[in-house]
Amino acid sequence: MELAYIPSPSRGVLYLGPVPLRGYAFCIIIGVFVAVWLGNKRWVARGGRPGTVADIAVWAVPFGLVGGRLYHVITDYELYFSPGRDWVDAFKVWEGGLGIWGAIALGAVGAWIGARRMGVALPAYADAVAPGIAFAQAIGRWGNWFNQELYGHETHLPWALHITSSEGGRVPGYYHPTFLYESLWCVGVGLLVIWADRRFKLGHGRAFALYVAAYCAGRAWIEYMRVDDAHHILGVRLNVWTAVVVFVLAVTYLVLCARRRPGREEVVEPGALDGPAEDGTDTADGETKAEVGTKDGDGDEAKVDVTKAEKPEKSGKADPEDSPADSDTEPKAEAAGVKDTAESGKKG
């Protein structure tokens, strides 16, 4: 008799009349909202406009869903195109099957399109949304729990996952909950990126590269535990090879970018600081001040105060520091005065 285990839901879908409510879809939707919400907070903190993250996500999310499904269908094509299978099932995203590699790759294309339309640099946007994507993955993995899929080897640990379904070749029993392992790992990745970004001021895409590298490091060993069918190369699962290759690319970018473009972007969204959100008005003297980031001769960051002062009040006394335009009119006025004196002398 098992004393403790993680139970599986009896079913992954509830019906509200004729409308199906699928746990897998809900997890994906909640994850997207968390990623956009956190990404917006980080974007505004870096000097961007509220709402820009959501505007770009309108492009990134659909592209990501299509990319994730394409990767899954291509790498597991026998599930849909082998004899006895129905190819229409390839479009049933709600039944599970989204590859994170395709979702990130094609989602980046959608984000690039959205960022280009908004006049925003893609690396800065990627840095802002990186930890949110990790948390979205953590939430999305619970969709696999609803579908009773993606579990590991058999185990009798207290946190074993109890599989009860026998559909799709499943064998009821107690298995490693790899969905839970990956969910917890993704939470750790998101926290790591937030901490490292605050500590080292990551910019130019390095926060996103750190997220990718950290996720791949965990995905490699978690993928190795899974027992679901997968393609193998040299006896190793395809997704393990993918994680290794992407990890190397992410670390390489992280190192090279840190050498060539250290620091963080000074401006992430052109014109974002021109709005009323940053109120620099001093009510005491009516001056409006703004700090403009510049670099001195040594390449160090410096700040210059640009001041727009009130116009001096008109008075009878001339200002000794008049503009050049005013000083040019003084000789003309003196010449006119001499002429008037001469003419009055003639009349007298």
Side-chain angles (χ1 to χ4, degrees), residues 39-272:
N40 181 71
K41 288 179 64 68
R42 288 171 51 81
W43 183 254
V44 173
R46 290 196 176 195
R49 289 190 179 97
T52 297
V53 169
D55 291 339
I56 298 178
V58 170
W59 290 87
V61 172
F63 272 74
L65 291 175
V66 173
R69 189 60 177 179
L70 281 176
Y71 181 89
H72 168 73
V73 172
I74 291 173
T75 56
D76 292 310
Y77 61 88
E78 67 279 357
L79 299 177
Y80 308 100
F81 303 104
S82 60
R85 299 284 186 171
D86 188 358
W87 62 271
V88 178
D89 293 340
F91 298 94
K92 298 179 180 179
V93 181
W94 55 88
E95 293 183 355
L98 291 175
I100 186 61
W101 315 112
I104 294 297
L106 206 56
V109 175
W112 176 79
I113 296 174
R116 186 177 180 85
R117 291 170 60 90
M118 299 292 295
V120 170
L122 181 61
Y125 177 82
D127 285 340
V129 300
I133 294 177
F135 294 141
Q137 288 179 249
I139 297 171
R141 272 307 177 200
W142 283 87
N144 302 129
W145 175 69
F146 280 102
N147 289 350
Q148 296 196 37
E149 58 185 359
L150 306 187
Y151 46 86
H153 297 282
E154 190 174 4
T155 183
H156 295 287
L157 292 171
W159 55 85
L161 175 65
H162 187 199
I163 296 297
T164 58
S165 175
S166 58
E167 297 180 1
R170 299 184 184 92
V171 178
Y174 299 89
Y175 301 90
H176 277 286
T178 53
F179 85 91
L180 178 61
Y181 298 160
E182 187 169 340
S183 179
L184 295 176
W185 183 269
C186 287
V187 171
V189 170
L191 295 176
L192 171 66
V193 174
I194 292 175
W195 170 81
D197 194 23
R198 292 177 178 176
R199 175 67 177 81
F200 302 105
K201 304 298 181 183
L202 302 178
H204 304 287
R206 290 196 300 278
F208 186 81
L210 176 61
Y211 145 71
V212 172
Y215 171 74
C216 290
R219 178 63 183 268
W221 66 268
I222 294 172
E223 183 74 23
Y224 197 76
M225 297 177 63
R226 285 167 46 172
V227 296
D228 53 300
D229 294 332
H231 293 284
H232 289 71
I233 299 177
L234 300 178
V236 180
R237 292 169 67 96
L238 174 61
N239 282 335
V240 175
W241 285 109
T242 305
V244 172
V245 172
V246 176
F247 173 83
V248 172
L249 294 176
V251 171
T252 301
Y253 178 87
L254 192 63
V255 173
L256 294 179
C257 183
R259 292 178 179 177
R260 296 179 180 180
R261 305 186 71 182
R264 182 184 288 175
E265 297 91 342
E266 296 178 0
V267 178
V268 297
E269 186 171 3

